Amino acid sequence: MEHVLELSGLPVTMAPAGAGREALAATIRAVVFGDRDAFARLYADYVRLVHAILLGRVPRRDVDDLVQEVFITAYQRIRELRDPTAFGGWIATIARNRATDYLRQSREQVELPDEMPGGDPIEAETIAVLDIVRKLPEAYRETLLMRLVEGMSGSEIAERSGLTPASVRVNLHRGMKMLREQLGWRHE
């Protein structure tokens, strides 16, 4: 289903999310002209990318708040984006920078000992795996989190991140290999 907007007296046809570079550029232009629905589409298309990047860098408890901060920053600075088709890389950079700023400003948190009663053992295992993923090289870490946590397909990761499909495949393959090694899993 196409959406038709009128910007500065000219109709602009908005294709559905994921319809390509032209649709992304049109969506960005609509956001610049104040279309909040267009921004909601950008959010829906890129929230998993931003979430994965932040999840790989900051404590899990703070990820959702930081995702919101990243999108607020993007909304406020969207006019600074020179190439609308580079939105994925641009918002990824905002997310990485926000994570870095957060880590610089945050106070050291004291973790509760593992022996404390309560908590879900499955959650503890998930946290342990996430800690291992966070120690992987950035390219593998982000790509793995987009795939394994956010459920993005390889083509979605490529489209949203600006990586080539071949790079995504290599990052996923090498990242999974490193993760298996760290977890002591043998690939049969």
Side-chain angles (χ1 to χ4, degrees), residues 24-94:
L24 177 59
T27 300
I28 298 293
R29 284 191 299 274
V31 171
V32 167
F33 282 101
D35 183 339
R36 290 181 183 218
D37 290 337
F39 189 74
R41 288 191 301 277
L42 282 177
Y43 181 89
D45 286 348
Y46 289 89
V47 68
R48 295 181 298 162
L49 172 99
V50 170
H51 190 270
I53 290 169
L54 293 170
L55 187 62
R57 289 176 164 73
V58 302
R60 203 170 36 102
R61 67 182 175 274
D62 298 320
V63 170
D64 291 338
D65 289 341
L66 293 174
V67 167
Q68 299 306 314
E69 290 179 24
V70 166
F71 278 95
I72 288 168
T73 299
Y75 185 76
Q76 292 170 337
R77 295 177 45 201
I78 194 89
R79 284 178 170 74
E80 298 172 20
L81 180 60
R82 289 185 217 134
D83 177 5
T85 63
F87 181 80
W90 183 71
I91 199 160
T93 299
I94 292 172

Side-chain angles (χ1 to χ4, degrees), residues 3-18:
H3 303 281
V4 178
L5 294 174
E6 194 164 303
L7 302 174
S8 303
L10 301 171
V12 176
T13 302
M14 301 290 293

Side-chain angles (χ1 to χ4, degrees), residues 134-155:
R134 285 182 172 154
K135 293 174 184 158
L136 296 177
E138 181 177 307
Y140 304 153
R141 176 180 62 223
E142 289 182 359
T143 310
L144 278 176
L145 289 170
M146 285 179 221
R147 179 73 182 115
L148 299 175
V149 175
E150 302 300 331
M152 297 171 72
S153 68
S155 60

